[in-house]
Amino acid sequence: MNAPIAPTHTLPCDVLITAAVVVTQNDARAVLRDAALAITGGVITAIGPRAELAARYTPVETIALPEAMLLPGLVNTHTHAAMTLFRGLCDDAPLSVWLSEHIWPAEAKLTPEAVRLGTQLACAEMLASGTTCFLDAYLFVDAVADAAQAAGLRAVLCQGVFDIENAGFKTADAALASAGALADRLAGEALLRPAIFPHAVYTCRRATLERCAAFAKERGTLLSTHAAETARENDDCLAANGQRVIPYLHSLGMLGPQTLLAHGVALDAADLTLLAATGTAVSHCPKSNMKLASGIAPVHALRTAGVTVGLGTDGAASNNALNLFSEMETAALLQKVASNDPTALKAGAALDMATRDGAQALGWPELGRLEVGAPADLCALDLTRPQLHPCFDPISDAVYAANGGEVVLTMVAGHVLFRDGAFLTMDYAALRRNFAQAASHLTAR
Ligand SMILES: [Zn+2]
């Protein structure tokens, strides 16, 4: 006689999302086929075989994606989102010409409203290519916060600090005061975190850099800055301060586990040792480094030394896209050609950088992975596209074959923000009109 079947009690959940493939990016880097995630309160409560979860859960909403691959939402660790306003304004020029003749004159006309529109367009671009979290460093940070909040993305929002007068502030004092106000405004926000971003050693005085480091320690925020982007930056720092950039930052108390350095291209062995010993993270921006001919960051050596390396797009004026799929592929290919070694920076390492390592670099380590207890931040790629056949290795396909245009769904904290080409948190047609007006006003001669 058969044993009696135990009565089944299903569990409630907000969303049950099912997919052909789930790339978890958990510690074991498990890739599941015909799988599902249960989500409640914006957090993943279960992950496993589709049939099992379908039997166990009664969801309020089911999202069935039988021909899609789920990935953790991608994490952009360095951008200046509102620079979408200046995309294509000047390309293929030396940095000094690009900055002084084109970008700075346009930036001098920036307004909070223009920054809000530029950031909102950047949010649309990131959502459409699977990015769910970004670190932004720019001016008018309240306008950036308004745009990110309205779009529903997760973000680390940095107040940019300079000792050069700009459209946002006349002095570094005023920028630091704004950083404090931002931290107060974002207290208790689940998706937005405040941070501080002294622009670079060549635009901030020693005392300003020290005050930014003190601010980050006092307020418990991330400290980020552009560092060692070019060999010239080291030469100039040596001449001005008697030290290369990395030891100089260390002498000011700026390195540590709450610090994220953008670029890290011109690094020597002693710099690598110092970054590893202090637990400082690096944001690698391969396309920006290539376009500005800054050089090739020693990503393989950094990772081997134990430095956490995330990926960043930098701003759209020096890239020119905010697309981490493109960044993953570029990062992997660049390390191979630089080292003449096809095993350098494998696909899995590039995906780690765009997901869990980037999350770690932002001090938000629960992001960038799909596992129980993690926030439900994810994207889905359409596996019916020709370039994703035959799908022997989903991670290889995500890094080397996908271009980001395959993204059919992007979710942050359990909320679908982008689905089948539609932006669910913004009036995209109105945004395009207003953005175009703002961009033409800023760049009119
Ligand atoms: Zn930058």
Side-chain angles (χ1 to χ4, degrees), residues 87-154:
R87 184 183 349 240
L89 178 63
C90 170
D91 294 311
D92 313 322
L95 181 63
S96 55
V97 172
W98 179 77
L99 268 179
S100 60
E101 294 181 22
H102 299 275
I103 298 300
W104 285 344
E107 282 187 333
K109 297 192 215 166
L110 274 173
T111 62
E113 178 61 5
V115 168
R116 190 184 67 77
L117 291 165
T119 306
Q120 209 169 6
L121 191 94
C123 287
E125 184 178 356
M126 289 191 277
L127 285 174
S129 52
T131 293
T132 53
C133 180
F134 66 104
L135 177 141
D136 188 73
Y138 208 51
L139 308 169
F140 300 114
V141 71
D142 271 311
V144 179
D146 290 345
Q149 201 160 33
L153 270 85
R154 209 179 281 275

Side-chain angles (χ1 to χ4, degrees), residues 78 80 226 263 314:
H78 182 72
H80 314 287
H226 295 112
H263 299 302
D314 214 346

